[in-house]
Amino acid sequence: MCGRYVLSGTPSELSAYFGLQDCPDFLPRFNIAPQSDIPVIRQRPEIGLVGQIVRWGLVPSWAKDSSIGAKLNNARAETVADKPSFRSSFTRHRCIIPASGYFEWQAVSRNGKAFKQPWYIRPTEENAYFAMAGLLAKWVAPDGSNLITACVITTEPNGVMTPIYDRMPVILSGNDIGTWLDPVNHDRNVLIPILKSVADETMKAVPVSLSVNRAGNEGPELIQAIELSE
DNA sequence: CCAGACGTTGTT
DNA sequence: GTCTGG
DNA sequence: CCAGACGTTGTT
DNA sequence: GTCTGG
């Protein structure tokens, strides 16, 4: 899955990489947790690609209160087009969630004890970004205010992720990014097939320290590779 | 028909 | 809003 | 995702 | 065990 990630670049770097027409300000983050405000990329008709800050944790428009968002950090690619919580977002409100990399926890046994080893997964290419496939939803609070939220779509693991975990975020590349973001594209026969695990060569995984476990911790040391002891 | 759920993950 | 269960 | 709390009453 | 907060 994808429950913690990194976006360490600046708005101008992100704009240059993805060709954004506009991007709000944001700070570099090394430990982004669900319920955080995050930058996403969407396509505006007549304008092009733009950045926008939304909350991670999808709140569907029909929700009675926003608490359901705490559960909807991810959506499964296999069912996203059909589930009531995601269906309309899949048809109309797709986005890219840009990431410098993401974390995954590997269940291991060390000295006979269950233990979770965190890994950092980043693009093979330096200074590149992952374009994670995401969904958006707008929820209107009882007081009339709007809440825009997002979730990350997950799929089966590729060869890099299989030893670590049995799910991974959908990462789009090349033409698939434009196809996914095109707001007039409502064809599930086109959209569903691009939600596959990305090629092994595009990513590398390194083990990192347990510091990342605590969501309040921040800083580049969180993505520093460590030596694994037996 | 109305009522109630609507999700993923991991763990048992 | 829309689907499932009763 | 993981970490940490999980409660009421009354007093400061 | 389950929910909330980060």
Side-chain angles (χ1 to χ4, degrees):
Chain A
M1 67 152 32
C2 180
R4 210 74 79 77
Y5 74 98
V6 174
L7 182 61
S8 58
T10 65
S12 61
E13 287 167 350
L14 198 67
S15 296
Y17 188 84
F18 284 106
L20 307 186
Q21 303 304 309
D22 182 54
C23 187
D25 198 21
F26 61 83
L27 294 173
R29 291 283 312 277
F30 290 86
N31 201 357
I32 301 172
Q35 298 301 107
S36 303
D37 289 332
I38 59 169
V40 301
I41 297 167
R42 62 196 306 185
Q43 183 176 338
R44 297 264 190 216
E46 316 295 319
I47 298 176
L49 304 188
V50 297
Q52 179 178 1
I53 306 296
V54 305
R55 180 169 302 175
W56 185 9
L58 198 86
V59 180
S61 61
W62 44 259
K64 290 185 182 64
D65 66 79
S66 62
S67 62
I68 192 175
K71 303 175 182 177
L72 304 185
N73 307 319
N74 297 136
R76 294 174 63 88
E78 297 88 336
T79 54
V80 68
D82 298 309
K83 294 284 188 182
S85 292
F86 304 126
R87 185 179 173 170
S88 65
S89 293
F90 175 79
T91 305
R92 290 179 222 270
H93 302 298
R94 296 176 302 275
C95 71
I96 290 295
I97 300 173
S100 304
Y102 66 95
F103 296 104
E104 200 64 79
W105 280 261
Q106 176 189 36
V108 293
S109 178
R110 184 172 294 178
N111 302 323
K113 289 177 183 173
F115 172 79
K116 283 190 175 179
Q117 173 62 53
W119 292 73
Y120 180 60
I121 298 94
R122 65 166 184 83
T124 304
E125 187 185 337
E126 295 291 336
N127 301 314
Y129 293 90
F130 285 144
M132 299 193 293
L135 301 178
L136 294 170
K138 182 173 88 171
W139 181 75
V140 181
D143 69 3
S145 60
N146 288 338
L147 177 66
I148 311 289
T149 55
C151 69
V152 177
I153 299 177
T154 66
T155 188
E156 295 180 337
N158 64 14
V160 175
M161 290 308 297
T162 295
I164 299 173
Y165 202 66
D166 65 358
R167 302 293 292 174
M168 69 179 290
V170 171
I171 295 167
L172 301 179
S173 55
N175 293 336
D176 288 346
I177 294 176
T179 302
W180 181 250
L181 289 178
D182 182 356
V184 303
N185 187 356
H186 301 152
D187 186 351
R188 61 188 275 155
N189 294 324
V190 171
L191 294 167
I192 291 176
I194 71 178
L195 299 179
K196 299 299 179 190
S197 47
V198 75
D200 293 356
E201 312 82 74
T202 61
M203 54 166 57
K204 289 194 181 311
V206 296
V208 294
S209 86
L210 293 171
S211 303
V212 69
N213 287 14
R214 187 182 291 268
N217 289 345
E218 271 288 346
E221 63 273 17
L222 297 180
I223 62 172
Q224 217 66 62
I226 63 165
E227 290 291 328
L228 283 186
S229 55
E230 292 305 319

